Amino acid sequence: MSGECVAHDPAGNGRCGDWLLLVDGLATPPAPRRSGAWRAVFSGGGRTLYLAPPRSPGWVGSPLRDVALVDGDRAWVFGDVKVDGPAIDRAFEDGDFSALGGRFLLLAWVDGAFEVVTDRFNTLHAYSLGDDDRAVGSSFFAVSATSQRRLDWLALTTFFACGFFLAGGTFWDDVRCFEPARRYRLGSARSGERHWRWRHGPETRRGPTETVEEFADVFARVVTDASAGGVALPLSGGLDSRALCAAAPASDLRWSFGYGYRPDSVEIRIARRLAEVRGLAFGSFVIEPYLADRVETALELLEGFQDVTQTRQLAIASTLAQRAGRVLGGHWGDVWLDDMGLDPRADESQVLAHTLRKLRKRGRRWLLEHLCAPALGADPEAQLEARVGEELRPYGEIGDADFRLKAFKTDHWSSRWTLGSVRAYQAAAWPVLPFYDPRLTDFFATVPTAQLVDRRLELDYLLRFAPELARVPWQETGAGLHRSRRAAYWLGLPRRAVAKAWRTARRRPVLERNWEVQLLSPSGRRLLDERLLAPGLRLHDLVAPTAVRALLDDFFARPDAGLGYVVSMLLTFAVFLERA
């Protein structure tokens, strides 16, 4: 197979479950994420490329194109890229991968070596083992099969404090996640170079009305391209799915759906009304406790990089797989279409303080004190502050401090949390993500922060270009978009007071978060007992069972968001340790 691509169709219909590139002689691990066996498809430079097929439902993986390049080189393009070989050749020659579009990961055999190229926002993840990149691939568990398995406590400090790993950090100190907008030459991939850099050039001569018009034009083109061929549309009580509902051609919206935690959920009620306005077929789902039976699946999909209780897509996976091959997601729209709450003129210390307030989670102290502090032998909060400050420095050349934080958040929070959670959809369908399209992000780089405050641009867009959808209440205010937040709050106060009194009288708490449904149920309690307190758990090598029991007693006595976060993250870590 040396230097040649073997005839194959292991992914089936242009799809790949996972890919794995190994130094020759390294044993291939079991196939990841419930897929079939690995199949060798290419060898070169002392490495062999393996592909594993998808399975639906279970793990649909990603689209794959095997592209011939000049001089016998090859490229394996994962994601939504539709350009041809000459365009990819030019990208490697010029070092500019902008023409490839939005969501992709590129593996290529170029000039006698393998290279990996990530898109602007790292929408598809890949991992590398060791300084010599002896194992590289899309599955963390497959890549780390021969890891030394030394926990990286500096990286884990950000994981426990913020809910995700910063930059390329993972659980193990010899495994790294490739970072956004990088080109890596394997063999020394730790020195990947940026092929795209952030810029912010506000168009101050363009007034709010003109900005809305330009946004509407760009947004329509991006969403039309993304939904071409048919998609399912998740609807909620927020604004971003409503904007997608407004922009997507009706002929491409094959099905819509919404979910909540009760049949009378406000989220389902608003979603159904939006679907009715657009004349869409709609399915509603009440999320019941499912995690106890699927926690291993949730961990495998998320690879442990996100709280396993945040996977309610798993509850509808079988239905979604039957209804649609692709799902249109509004992820990261709320970031582009709002401000970060930071004065654009803020200095470096103010930016750091504001960023830490955004990142730090309630309840983190228990995790840092019981897990990180003993391992680090230092103050984890101080380590966190130093790490965040270090990662913020490269963005200092962006003059607007609010956009600087937005760029940082996109490179880190989006890359390692939001886009990790998207993998839960891949149990059933391929997510298409318009808000990661370069055409939209380039447009947002021209919008003055003042025009985004309080979602003004998005509200004006919906009021002007989708007035019927704008009349449907917004979950945040309980009123149509024509009312200001302040007016909606005061007008809705009597209704909310009556509803609260009725719930109190009937002793019906409002369930708004998945961890409440999954962990406070009888099956959730059994799950926590089994996964956090059973004798012989690896977790107990790091934290005493008595401390875990005291935490759970406190959690069940007075569950709140802070304790919910601690228990969810501890559960995720415990399940990971047993899986690893």
Side-chain angles (χ1 to χ4, degrees):
M1 289 186 297
S2 179
E4 297 183 359
C5 187
V6 178
H8 68 285
D9 185 23
N13 299 318
R15 284 193 174 274
C16 174
D18 278 295
W19 62 273
L20 182 64
L21 183 66
L22 297 180
V23 168
D24 291 345
L26 208 61
T28 56
R33 284 191 280 231
R34 307 156 68 82
S35 298
W38 295 110
R39 180 178 176 183
V41 299
F42 186 88
S43 287
R47 299 172 187 265
T48 300
L49 173 63
Y50 299 85
L51 300 181
R55 193 181 79 177
S56 181
W59 175 247
V60 303
S62 65
L64 166 64
R65 293 177 61 231
D66 184 345
V67 181
L69 305 180
V70 297
D71 299 328
D73 291 343
R74 303 202 72 83
W76 294 266
V77 186
F78 304 90
D80 295 324
V81 171
K82 297 179 177 62
V83 299
D84 57 10
I88 297 175
D89 279 317
R90 286 193 297 273
F92 276 102
E93 183 177 347
D94 301 338
D96 180 3
F97 296 87
S98 300
L100 273 63
R103 192 174 186 208
F104 71 87
L105 185 137
L106 184 61
L107 172 68
W109 170 255
V110 179
D111 297 332
F114 281 100
E115 295 192 13
V116 170
V117 180
T118 58
D119 66 30
R120 287 187 183 187
F121 308 120
N122 204 24
T123 59
L124 289 173
H125 291 169
Y127 309 92
S128 167
L129 172 66
D131 292 335
D132 57 354
D133 310 309
R134 58 186 176 276
V136 177
S138 59
S139 165
F140 173 77
F141 290 116
V143 169
S144 62
T146 56
S147 163
Q148 296 297 310
R149 286 174 166 73
R150 296 182 299 263
L151 288 167
D152 187 338
W153 285 106
L154 281 174
L156 282 162
T157 295
T158 66
F159 179 66
F160 289 130
C162 308
F164 60 92
F165 287 93
L166 283 178
T170 75
F171 294 95
W172 309 128
D173 66 4
D174 57 354
V175 181
R176 300 283 292 173
C177 180
F178 291 147
E179 297 184 53
R182 299 300 203 284
R183 177 180 180 177
Y184 298 91
R185 187 98 168 157
L186 299 188
S188 58
R190 299 298 171 97
S191 58
E193 296 183 354
R194 267 196 174 270
H195 60 77
W196 174 82
R197 294 189 180 278
W198 287 96
R199 62 175 182 81
H200 185 231
E203 180 50 76
T204 55
R205 293 173 296 179
R206 184 181 59 201
T209 300
E210 292 77 20
T211 300
V212 171
E213 291 172 349
E214 187 168 337
F215 168 72
D217 178 61
V218 177
F219 192 54
R221 285 186 276 116
V222 167
V223 176
T224 297
D225 290 349
S227 56
V231 291
L233 175 64
L235 290 169
S236 70
L239 295 180
D240 300 326
S241 65
R242 185 180 314 218
L244 292 176
C245 188
S251 59
D252 287 322
L253 295 179
R254 304 293 173 79
W255 184 61
S256 64
F257 62 93
Y259 29 42
Y261 301 116
R262 292 187 182 280
D264 60 353
S265 159
V266 63
E267 195 171 6
I268 291 177
R269 189 165 64 249
I270 293 173
R272 179 181 289 111
R273 180 64 186 134
L274 292 170
E276 290 171 352
V277 169
R278 287 269 357 229
L280 304 177
F282 180 76
S284 64
F285 299 89
V286 177
I287 305 300
E288 304 286 352
Y290 63 82
L291 189 62
D293 297 326
R294 304 186 194 180
V295 68
E296 296 282 0
T297 301
L299 184 93
E300 200 164 70
L301 289 170
L302 303 177
E303 301 184 307
F305 291 118
Q306 193 197 38
D307 164 11
V308 292
T309 71
Q310 304 297 317
T311 54
R312 62 182 184 175
Q313 295 94 335
L314 274 180
I316 67 165
S318 59
T319 302
L320 182 57
Q322 295 168 10
R323 297 301 300 260
R326 302 191 310 150
V327 59
L328 187 67
H331 303 74
W332 218 239
D334 60 329
V335 174
W336 295 128
L337 286 159
D338 202 354
D339 66 305
M340 296 284 99
L342 184 62
D343 186 332
R345 300 162 298 180
D347 62 27
E348 185 176 328
S349 63
Q350 291 171 318
V351 172
L352 175 58
H354 193 80
T355 302
L356 289 168
R357 284 195 295 272
K358 288 279 187 182
L359 295 181
R360 285 172 169 152
K361 299 291 188 182
R362 283 181 57 197
R364 68 186 183 280
R365 294 190 184 281
W366 192 99
L367 297 164
L368 297 181
E369 291 173 2
H370 286 82
L371 290 166
C372 298
L376 288 172
D379 177 13
E381 293 281 6
Q383 299 288 326
L384 173 66
E385 183 171 344
R387 179 70 193 283
V388 172
E390 176 186 348
E391 295 293 346
L392 272 169
R393 272 194 286 278
Y395 305 89
E397 61 189 36
I398 300 174
D400 183 307
D402 193 90
F403 193 86
R404 192 185 316 158
L405 175 51
K406 192 174 289 190
F408 169 86
K409 190 174 180 181
T410 303
D411 274 353
H412 294 273
W413 188 320
S414 167
S415 172
R416 302 305 307 279
W417 190 88
T418 304
L419 291 163
S421 70
V422 166
R423 287 195 287 265
Y425 268 124
Q426 288 175 257
W430 170 248
V432 287
L433 308 174
F435 287 106
Y436 290 92
D437 189 293
R439 290 171 290 178
L440 264 182
T441 55
D442 286 345
F443 165 76
F444 288 125
T446 72
V447 179
T449 295
Q451 293 184 13
L452 297 168
V453 173
D454 289 336
R455 309 295 289 268
R456 192 66 261 163
L457 173 59
E458 190 169 21
L459 290 168
D460 287 346
Y461 163 74
L462 288 164
L463 285 164
R464 181 170 176 183
F465 292 92
E468 299 86 356
L469 294 175
R471 283 193 282 270
V472 178
W474 180 14
Q475 187 171 344
E476 182 174 311
T477 64
L481 306 186
H482 60 287
R483 295 194 183 278
S484 70
R485 289 187 180 183
R486 182 181 296 274
Y489 173 81
W490 289 108
L491 287 170
L493 191 59
R495 173 183 51 80
R496 292 194 299 273
V498 170
K500 183 176 181 179
W502 178 250
R503 290 193 302 268
T504 301
R506 298 186 64 188
R507 296 183 179 179
R508 291 182 61 186
V510 178
L511 299 178
E512 297 178 331
R513 293 158 293 200
N514 209 41
W515 65 262
E516 294 176 301
V517 176
Q518 304 309 322
L519 301 184
L520 298 178
S521 65
S523 64
R525 288 177 178 242
R526 289 195 299 273
L527 171 67
L528 293 175
D529 281 343
E530 292 170 3
R531 297 292 183 161
L532 296 181
L533 292 173
L537 292 175
R538 294 178 181 178
L539 177 68
H540 298 161
D541 295 333
L542 303 170
V543 58
T546 53
V548 177
R549 167 51 70 191
L551 169 67
L552 292 182
D553 289 345
D554 197 14
F555 171 65
F556 289 127
R558 53 178 191 91
D560 65 16
L563 287 172
Y565 173 77
V566 177
V567 173
S568 297
M569 291 296 285
L570 193 64
L571 172 65
T572 302
F573 188 49
V575 177
F576 169 82
L577 290 173
E578 297 303 315
R579 168 64 174 82

